Amino acid sequence: MSKKINPKREAYKKKQEEQGRKVVNWIFGVLIAFAVFYLIWTFVNM
């Protein structure tokens, strides 16, 4: 029985890691986009 649970746990762990990477990539992408918009906004207001 424990042999059946182990592959499920590993698949779940792999799925969680992939989703975590996607979330981190989205967060960094949004932060970079905000930085670019802020730079443009500061240069326009000078």
Side-chain angles (χ1 to χ4, degrees):
M1 180 100 178
S2 64
K3 290 182 180 181
K4 289 182 181 179
I5 295 172
N6 198 15
K8 286 183 181 180
R9 284 186 182 174
E10 288 182 24
Y12 179 75
K13 183 180 176 182
K14 184 178 179 181
K15 184 178 174 184
Q16 288 294 98
E17 287 179 5
E18 289 174 2
Q19 288 179 345
R21 285 187 188 138
K22 282 184 182 179
V23 169
V24 170
N25 287 339
W26 270 100
I27 291 171
F28 279 123
V30 169
L31 287 174
I32 290 170
F34 279 136
V36 169
F37 288 133
Y38 180 74
L39 286 172
I40 292 170
W41 182 73
T42 52
F43 283 121
V44 167
N45 285 331
M46 284 185 147

Short mmCIF file of all heavy atoms in Angstrom, two decimals:
data_model
loop_
_atom_site.label_atom_id
_atom_site.label_comp_id
_atom_site.label_asym_id
_atom_site.label_seq_id
_atom_site.Cartn_x
_atom_site.Cartn_y
_atom_site.Cartn_z
N MET A 1 0.82 -1.19 0.00
CA MET A 1 0.00 0.00 0.00
C MET A 1 0.87 1.26 0.00
O MET A 1 0.56 2.22 -0.67
CB MET A 1 -0.91 -0.04 1.23
CG MET A 1 -1.82 1.14 1.33
SD MET A 1 -3.43 0.68 0.75
CE MET A 1 -4.29 2.18 1.02
N SER A 2 1.95 1.25 0.76
CA SER A 2 2.80 2.44 0.83
C SER A 2 3.49 2.70 -0.51
O SER A 2 3.86 3.82 -0.79
CB SER A 2 3.83 2.30 1.94
OG SER A 2 4.70 1.23 1.65
N LYS A 3 3.64 1.66 -1.33
CA LYS A 3 4.25 1.86 -2.64
C LYS A 3 3.33 2.66 -3.57
O LYS A 3 3.79 3.38 -4.42
CB LYS A 3 4.59 0.52 -3.28
CG LYS A 3 5.73 -0.19 -2.59
CD LYS A 3 6.08 -1.48 -3.28
CE LYS A 3 7.22 -2.16 -2.57
NZ LYS A 3 7.60 -3.41 -3.22
N LYS A 4 2.02 2.53 -3.39
CA LYS A 4 1.08 3.28 -4.21
C LYS A 4 1.04 4.75 -3.78
O LYS A 4 0.86 5.63 -4.60
CB LYS A 4 -0.33 2.70 -4.10
CG LYS A 4 -0.48 1.37 -4.78
CD LYS A 4 -1.89 0.87 -4.69
CE LYS A 4 -2.05 -0.49 -5.36
NZ LYS A 4 -3.41 -1.00 -5.25
N ILE A 5 1.21 5.02 -2.51
CA ILE A 5 1.16 6.40 -2.00
C ILE A 5 2.40 7.16 -2.42
O ILE A 5 2.34 8.33 -2.77
CB ILE A 5 1.00 6.39 -0.46
CG1 ILE A 5 -0.36 5.79 -0.09
CG2 ILE A 5 1.12 7.78 0.10
CD1 ILE A 5 -0.54 5.56 1.39
N ASN A 6 3.55 6.52 -2.41
CA ASN A 6 4.81 7.19 -2.71
C ASN A 6 4.83 7.85 -4.09
O ASN A 6 5.20 9.00 -4.18
CB ASN A 6 5.96 6.21 -2.52
CG ASN A 6 7.29 6.90 -2.39
OD1 ASN A 6 7.35 8.09 -2.16
ND2 ASN A 6 8.35 6.14 -2.54
N PRO A 7 4.44 7.18 -5.17
CA PRO A 7 4.44 7.85 -6.47
C PRO A 7 3.47 9.04 -6.51
O PRO A 7 3.74 10.05 -7.14
CB PRO A 7 4.01 6.77 -7.45
CG PRO A 7 4.37 5.50 -6.80
CD PRO A 7 4.20 5.74 -5.34
N LYS A 8 2.35 8.92 -5.81
CA LYS A 8 1.39 10.03 -5.77
C LYS A 8 2.02 11.23 -5.06
O LYS A 8 1.84 12.37 -5.49
CB LYS A 8 0.11 9.62 -5.05
CG LYS A 8 -0.77 8.71 -5.85
CD LYS A 8 -2.05 8.39 -5.11
CE LYS A 8 -2.93 7.45 -5.89
NZ LYS A 8 -4.17 7.15 -5.17
N ARG A 9 2.71 10.96 -3.98
CA ARG A 9 3.37 12.06 -3.26
C ARG A 9 4.44 12.72 -4.11
O ARG A 9 4.58 13.94 -4.12
CB ARG A 9 4.00 11.54 -1.96
CG ARG A 9 3.01 11.30 -0.88
CD ARG A 9 3.71 10.93 0.41
NE ARG A 9 2.74 10.65 1.45
CZ ARG A 9 3.05 10.19 2.64
NH1 ARG A 9 4.31 9.97 2.95
NH2 ARG A 9 2.11 9.95 3.52
N GLU A 10 5.21 11.91 -4.81
CA GLU A 10 6.26 12.47 -5.67
C GLU A 10 5.65 13.29 -6.80
O GLU A 10 6.16 14.36 -7.13
CB GLU A 10 7.13 11.35 -6.22
CG GLU A 10 8.03 10.72 -5.17
CD GLU A 10 8.93 9.65 -5.74
OE1 GLU A 10 9.20 9.68 -6.96
OE2 GLU A 10 9.37 8.80 -4.96
N ALA A 11 4.57 12.81 -7.40
CA ALA A 11 3.91 13.56 -8.47
C ALA A 11 3.37 14.88 -7.94
O ALA A 11 3.48 15.92 -8.58
CB ALA A 11 2.80 12.73 -9.09
N TYR A 12 2.77 14.83 -6.74
CA TYR A 12 2.23 16.04 -6.13
C TYR A 12 3.35 17.03 -5.82
O TYR A 12 3.21 18.23 -6.07
CB TYR A 12 1.47 15.69 -4.85
CG TYR A 12 0.90 16.89 -4.14
CD1 TYR A 12 -0.24 17.53 -4.63
CD2 TYR A 12 1.48 17.37 -2.98
CE1 TYR A 12 -0.77 18.62 -3.99
CE2 TYR A 12 0.96 18.47 -2.33
CZ TYR A 12 -0.18 19.09 -2.83
OH TYR A 12 -0.69 20.17 -2.19
N LYS A 13 4.47 16.51 -5.31
CA LYS A 13 5.61 17.37 -5.00
C LYS A 13 6.15 18.04 -6.27
O LYS A 13 6.43 19.23 -6.27
CB LYS A 13 6.70 16.54 -4.34
CG LYS A 13 7.90 17.32 -3.90
CD LYS A 13 8.94 16.40 -3.24
CE LYS A 13 10.18 17.15 -2.89
NZ LYS A 13 11.21 16.29 -2.31
N LYS A 14 6.26 17.29 -7.34
CA LYS A 14 6.75 17.83 -8.61
C LYS A 14 5.80 18.90 -9.13
O LYS A 14 6.23 19.96 -9.59
CB LYS A 14 6.90 16.71 -9.64
CG LYS A 14 7.49 17.16 -10.94
CD LYS A 14 7.66 15.99 -11.89
CE LYS A 14 8.24 16.45 -13.21
NZ LYS A 14 8.39 15.36 -14.17
N LYS A 15 4.49 18.63 -9.03
CA LYS A 15 3.49 19.60 -9.49
C LYS A 15 3.58 20.88 -8.67
O LYS A 15 3.51 21.99 -9.22
CB LYS A 15 2.10 18.98 -9.35
CG LYS A 15 0.98 19.84 -9.87
CD LYS A 15 -0.34 19.11 -9.71
CE LYS A 15 -1.50 19.99 -10.09
NZ LYS A 15 -2.79 19.35 -9.85
N GLN A 16 3.75 20.78 -7.38
CA GLN A 16 3.86 21.94 -6.51
C GLN A 16 5.10 22.76 -6.85
O GLN A 16 5.07 23.98 -6.85
CB GLN A 16 3.91 21.52 -5.05
CG GLN A 16 2.60 21.01 -4.51
CD GLN A 16 1.54 22.09 -4.45
OE1 GLN A 16 0.71 22.22 -5.33
NE2 GLN A 16 1.60 22.88 -3.42
N GLU A 17 6.21 22.10 -7.12
CA GLU A 17 7.45 22.80 -7.49
C GLU A 17 7.27 23.59 -8.78
O GLU A 17 7.70 24.73 -8.88
CB GLU A 17 8.60 21.82 -7.64
CG GLU A 17 9.11 21.27 -6.32
CD GLU A 17 10.24 20.27 -6.51
OE1 GLU A 17 10.69 20.07 -7.65
OE2 GLU A 17 10.66 19.68 -5.50
N GLU A 18 6.62 22.98 -9.76
CA GLU A 18 6.40 23.67 -11.03
C GLU A 18 5.49 24.88 -10.84
O GLU A 18 5.75 25.95 -11.40
CB GLU A 18 5.80 22.71 -12.05
CG GLU A 18 6.77 21.65 -12.53
CD GLU A 18 6.12 20.61 -13.43
OE1 GLU A 18 4.92 20.73 -13.72
OE2 GLU A 18 6.83 19.67 -13.83
N GLN A 19 4.44 24.73 -10.06
CA GLN A 19 3.53 25.84 -9.82
C GLN A 19 4.24 26.94 -9.03
O GLN A 19 4.02 28.13 -9.28
CB GLN A 19 2.29 25.37 -9.07
CG GLN A 19 1.35 24.55 -9.94
CD GLN A 19 0.13 24.06 -9.19
OE1 GLN A 19 0.10 24.10 -7.96
NE2 GLN A 19 -0.85 23.59 -9.91
N GLY A 20 5.08 26.57 -8.10
CA GLY A 20 5.83 27.56 -7.33
C GLY A 20 6.77 28.36 -8.22
O GLY A 20 6.90 29.57 -8.05
N ARG A 21 7.41 27.70 -9.15
CA ARG A 21 8.30 28.41 -10.08
C ARG A 21 7.52 29.39 -10.95
O ARG A 21 7.98 30.50 -11.21
CB ARG A 21 9.05 27.41 -10.96
CG ARG A 21 10.16 26.71 -10.23
CD ARG A 21 10.98 25.85 -11.16
NE ARG A 21 11.92 25.05 -10.38
CZ ARG A 21 12.18 23.79 -10.61
NH1 ARG A 21 11.60 23.17 -11.61
NH2 ARG A 21 13.05 23.14 -9.86
N LYS A 22 6.33 28.97 -11.39
CA LYS A 22 5.51 29.87 -12.20
C LYS A 22 5.14 31.12 -11.40
O LYS A 22 5.20 32.23 -11.92
CB LYS A 22 4.22 29.17 -12.64
CG LYS A 22 4.39 28.22 -13.79
CD LYS A 22 3.05 27.65 -14.21
CE LYS A 22 3.19 26.66 -15.33
NZ LYS A 22 1.90 26.09 -15.73
N VAL A 23 4.76 30.93 -10.15
CA VAL A 23 4.37 32.06 -9.32
C VAL A 23 5.54 33.00 -9.11
O VAL A 23 5.41 34.23 -9.23
CB VAL A 23 3.81 31.57 -7.96
CG1 VAL A 23 3.64 32.71 -6.99
CG2 VAL A 23 2.49 30.85 -8.17
N VAL A 24 6.71 32.45 -8.82
CA VAL A 24 7.90 33.28 -8.61
C VAL A 24 8.24 34.04 -9.88
O VAL A 24 8.56 35.24 -9.84
CB VAL A 24 9.09 32.42 -8.13
CG1 VAL A 24 10.39 33.20 -8.15
CG2 VAL A 24 8.80 31.89 -6.74
N ASN A 25 8.17 33.39 -11.03
CA ASN A 25 8.45 34.06 -12.30
C ASN A 25 7.46 35.19 -12.56
O ASN A 25 7.85 36.26 -13.03
CB ASN A 25 8.44 33.06 -13.46
CG ASN A 25 9.66 32.17 -13.44
OD1 ASN A 25 10.68 32.50 -12.86
ND2 ASN A 25 9.55 31.02 -14.09
N TRP A 26 6.18 34.96 -12.27
CA TRP A 26 5.18 36.01 -12.45
C TRP A 26 5.46 37.19 -11.52
O TRP A 26 5.35 38.36 -11.94
CB TRP A 26 3.77 35.48 -12.17
CG TRP A 26 3.12 34.92 -13.40
CD1 TRP A 26 3.01 33.61 -13.76
CD2 TRP A 26 2.50 35.67 -14.45
NE1 TRP A 26 2.37 33.50 -14.95
CE2 TRP A 26 2.03 34.74 -15.40
CE3 TRP A 26 2.30 37.02 -14.67
CZ2 TRP A 26 1.38 35.15 -16.55
CZ3 TRP A 26 1.63 37.43 -15.82
CH2 TRP A 26 1.18 36.48 -16.74
N ILE A 27 5.83 36.92 -10.29
CA ILE A 27 6.11 38.01 -9.33
C ILE A 27 7.29 38.84 -9.83
O ILE A 27 7.23 40.07 -9.83
CB ILE A 27 6.36 37.44 -7.93
CG1 ILE A 27 5.07 36.88 -7.36
CG2 ILE A 27 6.95 38.50 -7.01
CD1 ILE A 27 5.23 36.11 -6.07
N PHE A 28 8.37 38.20 -10.25
CA PHE A 28 9.52 38.94 -10.75
C PHE A 28 9.16 39.71 -12.01
O PHE A 28 9.61 40.85 -12.20
CB PHE A 28 10.71 38.01 -11.02
CG PHE A 28 11.48 37.67 -9.79
CD1 PHE A 28 11.66 36.35 -9.40
CD2 PHE A 28 12.04 38.67 -9.00
CE1 PHE A 28 12.37 36.03 -8.26
CE2 PHE A 28 12.76 38.36 -7.87
CZ PHE A 28 12.93 37.04 -7.50
N GLY A 29 8.37 39.13 -12.89
CA GLY A 29 7.96 39.82 -14.10
C GLY A 29 7.16 41.08 -13.80
O GLY A 29 7.38 42.13 -14.40
N VAL A 30 6.25 40.98 -12.85
CA VAL A 30 5.45 42.14 -12.47
C VAL A 30 6.32 43.21 -11.83
O VAL A 30 6.18 44.41 -12.12
CB VAL A 30 4.30 41.72 -11.53
CG1 VAL A 30 3.61 42.93 -10.91
CG2 VAL A 30 3.29 40.87 -12.29
N LEU A 31 7.25 42.80 -10.99
CA LEU A 31 8.15 43.78 -10.36
C LEU A 31 9.01 44.49 -11.40
O LEU A 31 9.22 45.71 -11.32
CB LEU A 31 9.04 43.09 -9.32
CG LEU A 31 8.35 42.68 -8.03
CD1 LEU A 31 9.31 41.87 -7.16
CD2 LEU A 31 7.84 43.89 -7.27
N ILE A 32 9.51 43.76 -12.38
CA ILE A 32 10.31 44.38 -13.43
C ILE A 32 9.46 45.34 -14.26
O ILE A 32 9.89 46.44 -14.60
CB ILE A 32 10.97 43.29 -14.31
CG1 ILE A 32 12.05 42.57 -13.51
CG2 ILE A 32 11.54 43.89 -15.59
CD1 ILE A 32 12.59 41.33 -14.18
N ALA A 33 8.22 44.94 -14.55
CA ALA A 33 7.32 45.82 -15.32
C ALA A 33 7.05 47.10 -14.54
O ALA A 33 7.08 48.21 -15.12
CB ALA A 33 6.01 45.09 -15.63
N PHE A 34 6.79 47.00 -13.24
CA PHE A 34 6.58 48.20 -12.43
C PHE A 34 7.82 49.08 -12.40
O PHE A 34 7.72 50.30 -12.44
CB PHE A 34 6.17 47.84 -11.01
CG PHE A 34 4.71 47.51 -10.86
CD1 PHE A 34 4.32 46.41 -10.10
CD2 PHE A 34 3.73 48.28 -11.47
CE1 PHE A 34 2.98 46.10 -9.96
CE2 PHE A 34 2.39 47.98 -11.34
CZ PHE A 34 2.01 46.89 -10.58
N ALA A 35 8.99 48.47 -12.36
CA ALA A 35 10.23 49.26 -12.35
C ALA A 35 10.38 50.03 -13.66
O ALA A 35 10.76 51.20 -13.67
CB ALA A 35 11.43 48.34 -12.12
N VAL A 36 10.07 49.38 -14.77
CA VAL A 36 10.17 50.05 -16.08
C VAL A 36 9.16 51.19 -16.15
O VAL A 36 9.50 52.30 -16.58
CB VAL A 36 9.95 49.03 -17.22
CG1 VAL A 36 9.78 49.74 -18.55
CG2 VAL A 36 11.11 48.05 -17.28
N PHE A 37 7.93 50.96 -15.72
CA PHE A 37 6.93 52.02 -15.74
C PHE A 37 7.33 53.18 -14.83
O PHE A 37 7.13 54.34 -15.17
CB PHE A 37 5.55 51.50 -15.33
CG PHE A 37 4.92 50.62 -16.37
CD1 PHE A 37 4.36 49.41 -16.02
CD2 PHE A 37 4.88 51.01 -17.71
CE1 PHE A 37 3.76 48.60 -16.96
CE2 PHE A 37 4.29 50.20 -18.66
CZ PHE A 37 3.74 48.99 -18.29
N TYR A 38 7.93 52.86 -13.70
CA TYR A 38 8.36 53.91 -12.79
C TYR A 38 9.49 54.74 -13.40
O TYR A 38 9.49 55.97 -13.29
CB TYR A 38 8.83 53.30 -11.45
CG TYR A 38 9.30 54.33 -10.46
CD1 TYR A 38 8.38 55.14 -9.81
CD2 TYR A 38 10.65 54.49 -10.18
CE1 TYR A 38 8.80 56.10 -8.90
CE2 TYR A 38 11.09 55.43 -9.27
CZ TYR A 38 10.15 56.23 -8.62
OH TYR A 38 10.57 57.18 -7.74
N LEU A 39 10.43 54.09 -14.06
CA LEU A 39 11.50 54.82 -14.74
C LEU A 39 10.95 55.75 -15.82
O LEU A 39 11.35 56.90 -15.94
CB LEU A 39 12.52 53.86 -15.35
CG LEU A 39 13.46 53.16 -14.37
CD1 LEU A 39 14.28 52.10 -15.10
CD2 LEU A 39 14.39 54.18 -13.74
N ILE A 40 10.03 55.23 -16.62
CA ILE A 40 9.42 56.06 -17.66
C ILE A 40 8.68 57.23 -17.03
O ILE A 40 8.81 58.36 -17.49
CB ILE A 40 8.48 55.20 -18.54
CG1 ILE A 40 9.28 54.19 -19.34
CG2 ILE A 40 7.63 56.07 -19.45
CD1 ILE A 40 8.46 53.13 -20.05
N TRP A 41 7.93 56.98 -15.99
CA TRP A 41 7.15 58.03 -15.33
C TRP A 41 8.06 59.11 -14.74
O TRP A 41 7.78 60.29 -14.85
CB TRP A 41 6.30 57.39 -14.23
CG TRP A 41 5.42 58.37 -13.52
CD1 TRP A 41 4.30 58.98 -14.00
CD2 TRP A 41 5.60 58.84 -12.20
NE1 TRP A 41 3.78 59.79 -13.03
CE2 TRP A 41 4.56 59.73 -11.92
CE3 TRP A 41 6.56 58.59 -11.20
CZ2 TRP A 41 4.44 60.37 -10.69
CZ3 TRP A 41 6.43 59.22 -9.99
CH2 TRP A 41 5.40 60.10 -9.75
N THR A 42 9.18 58.71 -14.12
CA THR A 42 10.08 59.70 -13.55
C THR A 42 10.75 60.54 -14.63
O THR A 42 10.93 61.74 -14.46
CB THR A 42 11.16 59.05 -12.65
OG1 THR A 42 11.80 58.01 -13.36
CG2 THR A 42 10.56 58.53 -11.39
N PHE A 43 11.12 59.94 -15.77
CA PHE A 43 11.75 60.71 -16.83
C PHE A 43 10.75 61.64 -17.51
O PHE A 43 11.10 62.74 -17.94
CB PHE A 43 12.41 59.80 -17.85
CG PHE A 43 13.71 59.24 -17.39
CD1 PHE A 43 13.92 57.87 -17.30
CD2 PHE A 43 14.76 60.07 -17.01
CE1 PHE A 43 15.12 57.34 -16.86
CE2 PHE A 43 15.97 59.56 -16.57
CZ PHE A 43 16.14 58.19 -16.49
N VAL A 44 9.50 61.25 -17.61
CA VAL A 44 8.48 62.08 -18.21
C VAL A 44 8.19 63.29 -17.31
O VAL A 44 7.95 64.39 -17.80
CB VAL A 44 7.19 61.26 -18.47
CG1 VAL A 44 6.02 62.17 -18.81
CG2 VAL A 44 7.43 60.27 -19.59
N ASN A 45 8.24 63.11 -16.02
CA ASN A 45 7.92 64.18 -15.08
C ASN A 45 9.09 65.11 -14.81
O ASN A 45 8.93 66.09 -14.08
CB ASN A 45 7.42 63.60 -13.75
CG ASN A 45 6.01 63.08 -13.89
OD1 ASN A 45 5.24 63.56 -14.71
ND2 ASN A 45 5.68 62.09 -13.09
N MET A 46 10.24 64.87 -15.36
CA MET A 46 11.38 65.74 -15.11
C MET A 46 11.30 67.01 -15.90
O MET A 46 10.86 67.33 -16.84
CB MET A 46 12.70 65.04 -15.40
CG MET A 46 13.09 64.09 -14.34
SD MET A 46 14.71 63.43 -14.70
CE MET A 46 15.30 63.22 -13.06
#
